[in-house]
Amino acid sequence: MTAPGLSIWSHPELLSVLAAEDWGGVLRTYRRLSGLSQTRVGELVGLVQPDVSDIERGCRRVTSSEVRQRIVNGLKAPAHVASPDRQPVPGLALPGAGPDEDLLARLTGTADATHKVDSPTLDWLDRLLAEHRSAEDLIGSRPLVALMRRQLRSVIDLYGGARGPLAGRVVRLASEHAQFLAWMAQDQGQTAAALAWYDRSHDWALEAGDADMAATTLSMKAHMAWSGGRGDRAVRLAEAARWSAPDASPGVRGMAAQMAARGHALNGAGSDARRLLDEAQALITRASEHPEDEPAWMYFYGDTWFTLQRGMIAMHLRDRVDAIAHLRTGLAGLADGYRRDRTWYGCCLAHAYAGAGEAAEALAVALPLVPDAATVGRPHSWNELHVTAAALIRAGAKEGRLLVEALRQHDCLSPAEGRMMRTSASG
C-alpha cells in the first residue's frame, strides 16, 4: 500500500498508466495500492464487479468517454493528467512553443525521408531529448522506452534528407538516443540489450566525431560491469574511456576516472580508488567552472552526485561511517526531481546502516522508499532493499522481518524471492 501521509495518486506507476489511458492498468494498480476489492472499486466508479474484472484482464475495452470520466471521478484522479490535452507522459511539456505543423509532420514520420532537414528540426529534437531525460529521472524508464524507440526511428528517417554538417548532427543525435535507450535497458536489468545499444551509440559517436559520447558509452559499460560485480572489467573499460578520448570534456573525463575508482574499490584496492577519486574531483571542479562546455547528458554531474559516489565507494571499502556520512549529505542536496536516484541512494544508505549494525536507522530509511523502489527503482533499488533486509535478519534484528513484511505487502514477494530471503537469513 501507499506510504502513510501520501496521496495514492502521488505514485508514479499509477500516474503512468493513467497518462497512457490504460484503464485496466488504472483499476489494477489502484486496487493494489489501496487494498480495495474489485467490488468496492466498482462501487466507486459505477461498475459491477464482473465489469471491473473484465477491464482489468483486458477482456473489455473502455471506449466510452462517460465510463472513462466515471473512473477518473470515482477514483479522484488528478485532472491535469487525465485531461485530453495532456502530454503523453506527465512532465514532458517543452518550454516555449511546440513545433509548427510541418516540423511536427516530419518528426512523426508523415513526411517522406527525402524532405530537407533543417536546424530547427534538430534543435527541437535536442530539446525533446533533454525533456525525456529529465522525465526519466522522475518517473523511471519503463513509460519511456517505446516512446524513445519511435523517436530514434524518426531521427534515423531524417538522415536521408540531411546534407553537409546537418548529416553529422543527425548521426550525433542518433548516438545520443541510442545511449539513452542503453541506459534505460540497463536500468531495467536488460544487460544484453543495454550492451547492444551502447555499442551502437559508440559506433555512431565515432562516425560523428563525438569524443564526449564515445567516452561516455565506455564509462557506462564500465558502470554495467561494476553493477555486475566485475571490478577488473570496470577498470579496463573506464581506463579505455580515458585514453581513447583525451579531448573529451573535463566532466566526461571525470566520470571515467570516477568509474575506474569504483572498479578499484570493488576489488578492495583502496589507495587506487582514492587516488582516482581525487583526480575525478579536480576534473569536476574544472567542469563546474565552464558548464557550457559540457555535453547535455552530463546535466546531473556535479558535487552532489559526486558526494553520493564517494559514499558508494566507501561502502565497497567497508567504511560504513564514511559511507553513511557521504550518502546522507548527497541525498540532502539531491533535488526532488531525481526520484529514481533518491530511491537508489536511499536504499544504499539503508544498507549502509544495516551493515553498521544500526537496525532502527536502516528500517527508518528503508520503509518510505518501498513504493518507489517497487516502480521507478526496479530492479536495482528493489533488490537493494532485499539485500538490506537479509543483512538485518542475519544480524538477528527484528527490523529485518518488518522490512520483509513491508516488501511483501507492497508488491507480494514471489515464492522464489521468499526462498531467497530465507536462504540469506540462514546463510
Side-chain angles (χ1 to χ4, degrees):
M1 294 186 183
T2 303
L6 291 178
S7 165
I8 197 170
W9 286 102
S10 67
H11 201 286
E13 182 180 1
L14 189 54
L15 288 173
S16 177
V17 290
L18 176 64
E21 295 187 357
D22 176 3
W23 301 106
V26 168
L27 295 177
R28 284 194 309 274
T29 307
Y30 187 93
R31 285 200 313 104
R32 175 165 58 80
L33 295 175
S34 66
L36 297 180
S37 66
Q38 289 182 341
T39 299
R40 178 56 183 143
V41 166
E43 292 172 355
L44 293 175
V45 301
L47 294 170
V48 295
Q49 184 273 331
D51 286 341
V52 173
S53 177
D54 286 347
I55 293 171
E56 288 190 3
R57 292 184 294 114
C59 299
R60 172 182 169 182
R61 295 181 59 195
V62 177
T63 57
S64 165
S65 59
E66 187 265 338
V67 174
R68 289 198 297 268
Q69 197 59 47
R70 291 212 314 261
I71 294 175
V72 168
N73 292 342
L75 301 184
K76 296 181 172 55
H80 71 283
V81 178
S83 61
D85 59 349
R86 48 144 179 77
Q87 294 290 321
V89 179
L92 295 192
L94 290 174
D100 57 36
E101 291 185 5
D102 177 64
L103 175 56
L104 184 61
R106 276 177 270 162
L107 296 182
T108 53
T110 59
D112 63 51
T114 61
H115 198 299
K116 181 181 178 181
V117 180
D118 52 24
S119 291
T121 302
L122 302 182
D123 290 344
W124 196 83
L125 280 166
D126 278 333
R127 295 168 61 206
L128 187 60
L129 179 57
E131 289 293 317
H132 288 148
R133 288 188 184 113
S134 179
E136 195 264 344
D137 288 327
L138 180 64
I139 65 175
S141 57
R142 283 178 176 78
L144 289 170
V145 172
L147 178 64
M148 294 311 302
R149 284 178 176 270
R150 291 195 300 270
Q151 193 165 308
L152 174 58
R153 182 73 258 172
S154 296
V155 172
I156 293 172
D157 288 345
L158 291 175
Y159 184 75
R163 298 292 182 269
L166 291 179
R169 278 196 66 187
V170 172
V171 176
R172 182 177 293 109
L173 192 57
S175 176
E176 291 189 37
H177 278 73
Q179 184 269 337
F180 189 38
L181 281 164
W183 162 251
M184 291 193 290
Q186 179 179 342
D187 180 57
Q188 296 176 43
Q190 299 168 359
T191 303
L195 287 172
W197 279 117
Y198 279 134
D199 286 343
R200 180 65 60 84
S201 175
H202 186 76
D203 288 347
W204 280 334
L206 293 177
E207 181 181 344
D210 190 339
D212 287 330
M213 180 53 75
T216 296
T217 55
L218 290 172
S219 288
M220 296 312 296
K221 289 174 76 172
H223 179 267
M224 287 189 65
W226 168 84
S227 297
R230 303 176 65 185
D232 289 339
R233 178 171 169 81
V235 171
R236 289 196 301 270
L237 286 165
E239 291 296 342
R242 302 178 74 202
W243 61 255
S244 66
D247 296 331
S249 74
V252 169
R253 285 184 284 129
M255 174 186 281
Q258 176 264 324
M259 289 293 180
R262 288 172 78 162
H264 282 301
L266 195 59
N267 290 337
S271 59
D272 287 332
R274 294 185 182 95
R275 172 179 55 80
L276 285 162
L277 273 179
D278 291 340
E279 183 177 337
Q281 183 76 69
L283 287 165
I284 288 176
T285 300
R286 287 179 55 189
S288 66
E289 293 170 352
H290 296 282
E292 70 278 3
D293 294 335
E294 294 298 317
W297 61 86
M298 295 293 291
Y299 64 97
F300 64 92
Y301 196 80
D303 286 336
T304 295
W305 186 82
F306 193 76
T307 298
L308 292 164
Q309 295 307 301
R310 283 192 178 275
M312 297 298 296
I313 286 174
M315 285 187 67
H316 287 313
L317 297 175
R318 300 188 182 279
D319 186 346
R320 308 294 188 187
V321 173
D322 201 37
I324 290 169
H326 280 109
L327 289 171
R328 288 185 60 183
T329 300
L331 282 165
L334 198 61
D336 290 340
Y338 291 94
R339 184 194 292 263
R340 184 201 59 243
D341 286 351
R342 290 185 66 84
T343 303
W344 163 246
Y345 290 114
C347 291
C348 292
L349 176 59
H351 188 185
Y353 273 125
E358 300 183 41
E361 289 80 358
L363 185 66
V365 170
L367 284 181
L369 298 172
V370 171
D372 282 347
T375 52
V376 297
R378 274 188 185 271
H380 305 292
S381 297
W382 190 248
N383 292 344
E384 191 73 3
L385 288 181
H386 282 275
V387 171
T388 300
L392 291 169
I393 291 171
R394 285 196 302 271
K398 66 181 185 303
E399 286 83 358
R401 299 293 180 187
L402 294 174
L403 181 53
V404 168
E405 184 61 27
L407 293 167
R408 181 182 291 114
Q409 287 181 357
H410 189 83
D411 200 63
C412 291
L413 287 172
S414 69
E417 288 173 321
R419 287 193 298 271
M420 180 192 74
M421 290 299 304
R422 288 190 292 273
T423 300
S424 298
S426 61

